[in-house]
Amino acid sequence: RLICKSGEILNKRYRVLNEVGDGGFSDVYLAVDLETNKNVIIKSYRKLETFREAAIREIKIMQILNKLDKER
C-alpha cells in the first residue's frame, strides 16, 4: 500500500496535507489538487484480492456520487 507523508506530491498534481483516517482495507489522506486548488480525498488500498474487490465496488459508488454532486 501507499503510505503518504504530509507535503508529499503525488502524480505531480496532489499535495498531501495529512492522514485523516484508516480502515480495514485503506488509508485516507486529505490533499490539495494543485491544478484546481481544491481539497480532495485520496484513498490508498491495501494489496490483497479481497480488498481489491471491495475497492472496485467503492470506486464505482464514488463515480456515481460524483456525477450526482451538484457542487462539483
Side-chain angles (χ1 to χ4, degrees), residues 4 7-8 13 16 23 26 28 34 38 52 60 66 69:
C4 301
E8 186 174 354
R13 180 169 177 177
V16 176
S26 67
V28 182
L34 299 174
K38 291 185 178 182
R52 181 182 176 278
K60 288 178 182 178
N66 277 335
D69 184 0

Side-chain angles (χ1 to χ4, degrees), residues 23-67:
F25 69 98
S26 67
D27 297 315
V28 182
Y29 300 92
L30 176 63
V32 63
D33 182 330
L34 299 174
E35 290 183 11
T36 66
N37 205 36
K38 291 185 178 182
N39 286 345
V40 297
I41 292 293
I42 295 176
K43 292 188 80 170
S44 171
Y45 295 96
R46 289 170 175 74
K47 193 175 179 179
L48 291 175
E49 190 59 31
T50 55
F51 296 146
R52 181 182 176 278
E53 293 168 8
I56 289 170
R57 283 193 305 274
E58 185 172 349
I59 289 167
K60 288 178 182 178
I61 291 168
M62 293 305 294
Q63 288 172 334
I64 292 168
L65 291 174
N66 277 335
K67 287 180 184 177

Side-chain angles (χ1 to χ4, degrees), residues 1-5 8 10 19 27 29 44:
R1 79 179 190 232
L2 176 69
I3 298 175
C4 301
K5 295 179 182 176
E8 186 174 354
L10 302 175
E19 182 176 2
D27 297 315
Y29 300 92
S44 171

